[in-house]
Amino acid sequence: MSNVEINAYDPQQVESTAQSFWEASRAFEVAETTDKPKYYCLSMLPYPSGALHMGHVRNYTIGDVISRYKRMTGFNVLQPMGWDAFGLPAENAAIKNKTAPAKWTYANIAHMRSQLKSLGYAIDWTREFATCSPDYYVHEQRMFVRLMRKGLAYRRNSVVNWDPVDNTVLANEQVIDGRGWRSGALVEKREIPQWFLRITDYAQELLDGLDELDGWPESVKTMQRNWIGRSEGLEIEFQVRDADGSALDPLRVFTTRPDTLMGVSFVSIAGEHPLAQHAASSNPALAALLAELKQGGVSEAELETQEKRGMDTGLRAIHPVTGEEVPVWVANFVLMGYGTGAVMAVPGHDQRDFEFASKYALPKKQVIVLKDPRNDEERSWSADEWKDWYGDKTRQIELINSAEFDGLDFQGAFEALAERFERKGQGQRRVNYRLRDWGVSRQRYWGCPIPVIYCGKCGAVPVPEDQLPVLLPEDVVLEGTGSPIKSDPQWRKCQCPECGADAERETDTFDTFMESSWYYARYTSPGAREAVDKRGNYWLPVDQYIGGIEHAILHLMYFRFFHKLLRDARMVDSNEPAKNLLCQGMVIAETFYRELPNGGKDWFNPADVDVVRDERGRITGATLRADGQPVVIGGVEKMSKSKNNGVDPQTMVGKYGADTVRLFSMFAAPPEQSLEWNEAGVDGMARFLRRLWALVARHVEAGVVSSALDVASLTAPQKDLRRKLHETIAKVGDDYGRRYSFNTAIAAVMELLNVLGKFDDASDNGRALRQEALETVVLLLNPITPHACHALWQQLGHAETVLEDIAFPQADPAALKRDALTLAVQVNGKLRGTIEVAADTSREQLEALGLAEPNVVKFLEGMSVRKVIIVPGKIINIVAG
Ligand code: ANZ
Ligand code: ZN
């Protein structure tokens, strides 16, 4: 079979040919001038860390398969790509390698772009950008100065991590065990002025919008709802007396449980609360505690888990219903930034208050019972023993020990108290959100400069739009002790745009989440003078967004927020940026290590380890190739540097070709699930492609078939094959288009190929059928393995072309029809025989035929038939007894 040898599958050659053709024919460049419906398929843009990892390959392959499939089904598909290019790693690399962050970043981009190109993604590269380029960030700066003028960007003090040795602000990830990553100095908290975006103005809209996002995973929507954290409650005023009995400013608490008001035995306030500060001015022990509380972490998780601590301030609050005096305590779990920074403590019914009261021997009072106690334990419950029965919203409660409110349920008490306090001017209904305004200032160098000028007379002035962009100098040396623009007095110097006096620029830069919040819109409008032009409304919203679940909360919240800002700036019409969201699972791989004498572990890359597998494919033994000695099998984990179990995509592409890598990453798992990288599986994919290649070669060797298939004169085996073929078309189309179940689509094509391999019919019509089948397989696989399909399509006698413009195959209903069906005949649910019947047999006939099946007749002996149930096309079940 000389031709087959000549034609042996050579992925490197096949792939470079296809890629050159796509590039030369500008196959994936799209415009807005077509009457096809648009489809915008977007994958989250990568951070240019140096090299692609398998997570990228998986993400972008999913996007590419969807894009190519959509294009084959008649859509005008935009699939763009860019670089999330600002960020801390570039600064760290700059210090380590003594290169400027810009240089390092651009070099990484060049390398990673070529890697992406080697994977053959159908990307419109004319729309590419890096977010660190002034052409990009100028728009971000312009949006920011406009938000400043609208009052949606503002400045206030906020806490940062301060390294007192390096004299620099540290990012959270640069604080390791409370110490600076370089200096090792104990990190301090410092308050400095920072810029914020008023995302809280959009809290309710961000919450409500989730209800319309039918194409987003429930889990992501739930995380976003919790993050926004809407609470309905009351704000209630308590009069306050100083230690000497004199009246102070009243205090307000926010509570979601006003029904527990009569159980209040003290009030807790945050250390930063003005009343705490007031009390501390004459109480050194309290002042010391407040100073100490400032040291601790500021994250909510930390506050939840740390031990409860506090101190009596000596102040007294007056209970707004009973007039009783209760003590005011400082408590470390009360956040100044939430509600009013003060809590009415109900130790009988709130767990944190319970723990606090138990520690400091403060009284607990029960004011609520379950209306329907289910057992003795519930009936005899007392406030001295913590039980979280009241958190269960499905349980009916009733107030006790609450004077005139006794007997009310939660809603009744809420309404009665809201009404009472609103009437007396002592409080009101309030909705609170956990969502905080977004702090966008970073004290880092490698980011977009915040376009603000500080003038001694005029204060913080936005840089006028005609003076934008504020350029970040790229040619700098990093010492690791802070930002080069902060240490450069020349860069800072400028004139006030309002009064002309000497002034200074802001030296902070934006959080890099800013750039990734609106990049999707910029792709639609390359070269536009504003961030987006009218092309935005052609492409937006994104039809399919694909990325990692780690972005479920922050990125996707900011992304939705920015879309609303763009809408309110009249740049886009829609309310939400993306209709459908797919979060792909992790890529995982086996880990291998050896114990080190110091108790640590030395991790070995799977590429350097030889493994032995059992017949089920599980690894049973592993040795390091370098020394032949065993290594410990550490289990399957997410690919990561720390466990050294990353598999390099470039190596895989070099060894097997991009199509095999793409095929494996789509076949090994459904998109949302974890994908275990295993080279034996990759090898299997390579074999499959070689088999397809050989099948086409063998068919073509006997001459390409140009005569049309004569459907009317198909033999029975030909009909069977054609039915299988069209069943596969229907399944694969559904798997790609509706279910996003790519692994089952591939499995179906593999099965078809097995059948086709056995179809040994050299008649004219048989060969015409094989031609149809092979062409179909090529088209079905094209979204996943486009290079091989590009070549095979030509071998099957077609001109050099972009397969994406050839319609995806449609199942022929006539081919799906069966002449004869095989039905199972069951007696009382057990299989007793099968019968062959014509497809159009009536129910009555089926019943009669089933009952006449010889084996069934034997089983029915001595029984009487009660009922016959027919599952059309499948089963005849006879119920007898
Ligand atoms: C009395 C009470 C009784 C409460 C009870 C709860 C249960 P969410 O749902 O998260 O909004 N709280 C209010 N402000 C706080 C702050 N700044 N720091 C810490 N805790 C604060 O929680 C609202 C509840 O959290 C409020 O309702 C308040 O405690 C507390 F059986 O008031 B509650
Ligand atoms: Zn001025």
Side-chain angles (χ1 to χ4, degrees):
M1 294 239 275
S2 58
N3 265 350
V4 175
E5 256 165 49
I6 291 163
N7 268 332
Y9 177 43
D10 174 359
Q12 312 306 339
Q13 190 259 318
V14 163
E15 291 175 6
S16 70
T17 306
Q19 286 165 15
S20 312
F21 172 72
W22 295 330
E23 191 154 338
S25 62
R26 304 171 138 208
F28 306 113
E29 292 176 23
V30 283
E32 298 73 28
T33 49
T34 140
D35 42 13
K36 288 181 189 171
K38 69 93 185 178
Y39 192 89
Y40 185 178
C41 185
L42 178 67
S43 291
M44 289 182 185
L45 84 178
Y47 176 75
S49 55
L52 287 189
H53 55 65
M54 276 303 173
H56 292 128
V57 171
R58 187 176 196 197
N59 191 161
Y60 303 144
T61 303
I62 294 169
D64 200 49
V65 171
I66 296 171
S67 294
R68 287 178 183 263
Y69 170 75
K70 279 290 167 183
R71 187 154 154 185
M72 292 177 84
T73 50
F75 290 86
N76 184 29
V77 178
L78 169 58
Q79 183 177 224
M81 184 56 70
W83 308 95
D84 190 14
F86 277 134
L88 196 54
E91 295 189 29
N92 295 342
I95 297 164
K96 206 169 128 199
N97 313 327
K98 306 214 174 337
T99 44
K103 212 170 150 204
W104 181 84
T105 303
Y106 288 121
N108 288 350
I109 289 176
H111 179 59
M112 290 171 75
R113 184 194 300 112
S114 76
Q115 290 190 302
L116 283 179
K117 290 198 168 174
S118 78
L119 280 148
Y121 296 131
I123 288 167
D124 181 351
W125 284 104
T126 64
R127 295 170 188 254
E128 175 198 5
F129 54 75
T131 58
C132 63
S133 93
D135 286 349
Y136 181 78
Y137 66 66
V138 63
H139 303 288
E140 188 167 304
Q141 292 179 337
R142 195 180 313 116
M143 282 187 260
F144 182 81
V145 297
R146 291 179 187 172
L147 292 175
M148 252 177 101
R149 288 201 204 92
K150 280 193 184 175
L152 284 169
Y154 66 96
R155 201 160 89 119
R156 68 166 157 84
N157 279 351
S158 174
V159 180
V160 294
N161 307 303
W162 178 257
D163 184 324
V165 170
D166 276 352
N167 281 319
T168 183
V169 174
L170 299 178
N172 283 336
E173 58 269 30
Q174 293 177 313
V175 181
I176 295 151
D177 296 331
R179 292 173 181 275
W181 67 302
R182 285 184 80 252
S183 68
L186 269 180
V187 169
E188 298 169 5
K189 303 258 172 252
R190 271 216 185 164
E191 279 220 345
I192 57 168
Q194 305 197 55
W195 288 95
F196 287 82
L197 293 189
R198 229 179 268 284
I199 190 173
T200 51
D201 272 15
Y202 288 79
Q204 189 62 45
E205 208 201 322
L206 286 165
L207 185 63
D208 293 341
L210 293 170
D211 295 337
E212 289 156 40
L213 293 176
D214 298 330
W216 282 42
E218 257 340 294
S219 60
V220 171
K221 290 191 277 187
T222 302
M223 283 189 262
Q224 294 225 335
R225 282 192 189 102
N226 292 340
W227 188 256
I228 295 169
R230 183 183 202 272
S231 300
E232 278 175 38
L234 293 188
E235 214 173 272
I236 303 173
E237 193 172 274
F238 284 63
Q239 299 303 318
V240 182
R241 289 206 191 117
D242 210 341
D244 63 7
S246 62
L248 289 172
D249 282 348
L251 163 141
R252 295 187 146 245
V253 302
F254 172 70
T255 178
T256 49
R257 294 293 306 273
D259 56 319
T260 63
L261 179 63
M262 303 300 273
V264 171
S265 51
F266 59 101
V267 169
S268 311
I269 59 177
E272 301 94 327
H273 195 284
L275 284 173
Q277 304 288 333
H278 166 78
S281 63
S282 57
N283 181 344
L286 183 60
L289 175 72
L290 299 191
E292 218 179 301
L293 292 184
K294 264 196 157 174
Q295 295 293 321
V298 286
S299 83
E300 246 179 84
E302 274 175 82
L303 293 176
E304 285 299 337
T305 51
Q306 71 190 359
E307 195 190 324
K308 303 278 171 293
R309 290 178 65 195
M311 193 180 284
D312 192 346
T313 61
L315 311 182
R316 297 287 173 266
I318 314 297
H319 192 286
V321 173
T322 63
E324 196 189 334
E325 278 194 359
V326 295
V328 177
W329 281 65
V330 164
N332 63 341
F333 60 87
V334 180
L335 303 163
M336 192 56 212
Y338 187 67
T340 59
V343 179
M344 61 178 224
V346 187
H349 302 288
D350 178 275
Q351 181 164 13
R352 293 177 301 178
D353 298 342
F354 176 84
E355 286 169 20
F356 194 85
S358 299
K359 178 162 177 185
Y360 294 107
L362 291 159
K364 303 180 183 114
K365 191 173 154 197
Q366 183 181 2
V367 290
I368 275 171
V369 286
L370 286 168
K371 247 188 189 160
D372 57 341
R374 287 173 196 159
N375 51 44
D376 287 346
E377 206 195 340
E378 291 189 357
R379 246 182 298 277
S380 66
W381 177 83
S382 89
D384 290 330
E385 194 188 332
W386 174 253
K387 280 274 159 35
D388 187 22
W389 286 324
Y390 305 95
D392 182 350
K393 289 261 159 62
T394 63
R395 301 300 295 271
Q396 283 291 315
I397 56 140
E398 184 174 320
L399 272 63
I400 57 167
N401 299 330
S402 295
E404 69 247 52
F405 306 106
D406 276 0
L408 292 176
D409 65 2
F410 170 81
Q411 206 53 41
F414 191 111
E415 294 304 324
L417 285 158
E419 211 267 319
R420 173 192 170 115
F421 291 132
E422 281 172 357
R423 183 160 32 85
K424 296 192 168 187
Q426 284 181 341
Q428 68 269 108
R429 284 166 229 257
R430 222 176 102 183
V431 174
N432 264 323
Y433 299 91
R434 191 152 293 281
L435 185 69
R436 302 276 72 124
D437 276 341
W438 175 13
V440 294
S441 297
R442 295 292 179 274
Q443 294 70 36
R444 314 248 52 97
Y445 153 72
W446 188 234
C448 170
I450 297 180
V452 173
I453 290 169
Y454 298 103
C455 166
K457 269 180 273 166
C458 313
V461 181
V463 175
E465 291 191 18
D466 59 8
Q467 291 175 27
L468 295 176
V470 176
L471 284 173
L472 184 74
E474 294 195 343
D475 187 14
V476 295
V477 181
L478 259 84
E479 311 284 358
T481 51
S483 159
I485 57 174
K486 287 188 187 294
S487 54
D488 177 355
Q490 263 340 94
W491 189 83
R492 284 205 303 263
K493 245 190 221 158
C494 63
Q495 261 68 53
C496 170
E498 273 169 23
C499 72
D502 283 348
E504 291 211 342
R505 288 190 189 286
E506 171 66 86
T507 55
D508 282 358
T509 53
F510 284 133
D511 176 4
T512 59
F513 272 123
M514 285 281 276
E515 286 87 56
S516 54
S517 293
W518 67 281
Y519 75 109
Y520 70 98
R522 185 66 187 170
Y523 285 142
T524 68
S525 307
R529 297 185 48 142
E530 288 280 337
V532 200
D533 62 21
K534 61 181 193 306
R535 289 172 287 175
N537 280 333
Y538 173 83
W539 291 112
L540 294 169
V542 169
D543 294 279
Q544 182 65 59
Y545 196 22
I546 304 148
I549 189 75
E550 66 275 18
H551 295 299
I553 299 177
L554 293 181
H555 162 64
L556 290 172
M557 189 76 75
Y558 299 146
F559 167 69
R560 297 180 57 224
F561 170 50
F562 254 77
H563 194 75
K564 293 169 197 302
L565 293 177
L566 290 174
R567 178 203 59 196
D568 292 348
R570 297 176 188 283
M571 292 198 185
V572 298
D573 291 341
S574 41
N575 290 321
E576 290 286 341
K579 275 193 238 169
N580 297 290
L581 172 70
L582 190 156
C583 294
Q584 90 271 6
M586 296 183 294
V587 183
I588 56 180
E590 197 63 66
T591 57
F592 304 99
Y593 67 89
R594 281 182 190 153
E595 303 269 3
L596 291 170
N598 67 5
K601 284 174 179 158
D602 193 7
W603 299 94
F604 299 103
N605 193 273
D608 303 324
V609 174
D610 290 319
V611 296
V612 183
R613 290 175 189 271
D614 66 11
E615 69 281 1
R616 293 178 58 196
R618 282 177 313 199
I619 297 182
T620 52
T623 49
L624 187 66
R625 195 164 312 126
D627 59 16
Q629 297 302 306
V631 291
V632 183
I633 302 163
V636 177
E637 306 248 10
K638 178 176 178 170
M639 282 189 184
S640 74
K641 284 214 178 82
S642 62
K643 300 264 164 79
N644 191 12
N645 65 337
V647 176
D648 177 31
Q650 202 62 41
T651 310
M652 288 292 130
V653 171
K655 190 163 166 193
Y656 294 97
D659 280 339
T660 295
V661 172
R662 294 168 58 117
L663 186 60
F664 177 75
S665 64
M666 299 307 281
F667 181 66
E672 293 91 351
Q673 283 172 27
S674 299
L675 181 157
E676 185 182 346
W677 195 267
N678 112 41
E679 213 171 322
V682 181
D683 219 49
M685 295 299 111
R687 276 200 306 278
F688 167 72
L689 286 180
R690 282 201 297 272
R691 205 170 336 124
L692 171 62
W693 193 270
L695 211 58
V696 171
R698 221 178 310 136
H699 172 74
V700 169
E701 199 181 15
V704 171
V705 183
S706 48
S707 62
L709 179 70
D710 178 6
V711 180
S713 61
L714 292 173
T715 64
Q718 288 170 349
K719 267 190 190 165
D720 281 347
L721 174 63
R722 192 152 189 272
R723 190 174 56 247
K724 177 85 197 162
L725 174 62
H726 283 264
E727 281 169 359
T728 308
I729 293 173
K731 170 154 183 60
V732 172
D734 189 48
D735 281 353
Y736 279 151
R738 187 181 60 88
R739 299 176 61 222
Y740 282 180
S741 175
F742 308 104
N743 56 326
T744 54
I746 296 166
V749 176
M750 288 176 164
E751 205 185 302
L752 172 65
L753 209 68
N754 280 340
V755 176
L756 198 56
K758 290 179 200 129
F759 181 73
D760 199 14
D761 181 340
S763 69
D764 280 356
N765 223 22
R767 297 205 63 246
L769 178 57
R770 194 180 299 108
Q771 176 84 19
E772 180 187 290
L774 289 171
E775 287 183 2
T776 303
V777 167
V778 166
L779 293 175
L780 294 182
L781 284 179
N782 180 59
I784 299 174
T785 56
H787 309 86
C789 293
H790 174 87
L792 292 171
W793 188 247
Q794 288 169 41
Q795 291 177 24
L796 285 165
H798 299 281
E800 194 180 22
T801 183
V802 179
L803 285 195
E804 279 67 19
D805 294 331
I806 293 162
F808 197 79
Q810 293 292 307
D812 174 0
L816 294 174
K817 269 223 191 94
R818 288 166 180 269
D819 296 342
L821 296 174
T822 307
L823 297 191
V825 188
Q826 301 179 338
V827 178
N828 295 333
K830 288 221 174 71
L831 179 68
R832 297 305 180 195
T834 57
I835 52 169
E836 283 267 306
V837 296
D840 55 358
T841 312
S842 72
R843 285 189 96 87
E844 291 73 27
Q845 281 173 304
L846 286 177
E847 223 181 288
L849 288 168
L851 288 166
E853 205 277 340
N855 205 34
V856 171
V857 172
K858 224 171 63 200
F859 266 98
L860 287 177
E861 223 160 277
M863 295 200 265
S864 55
V865 174
R866 300 222 178 96
K867 200 161 54 170
V868 178
I869 302 161
I870 294 176
V871 183
K874 291 209 175 99
I875 301 167
I876 303 172
N877 187 20
I878 300 161
V879 184

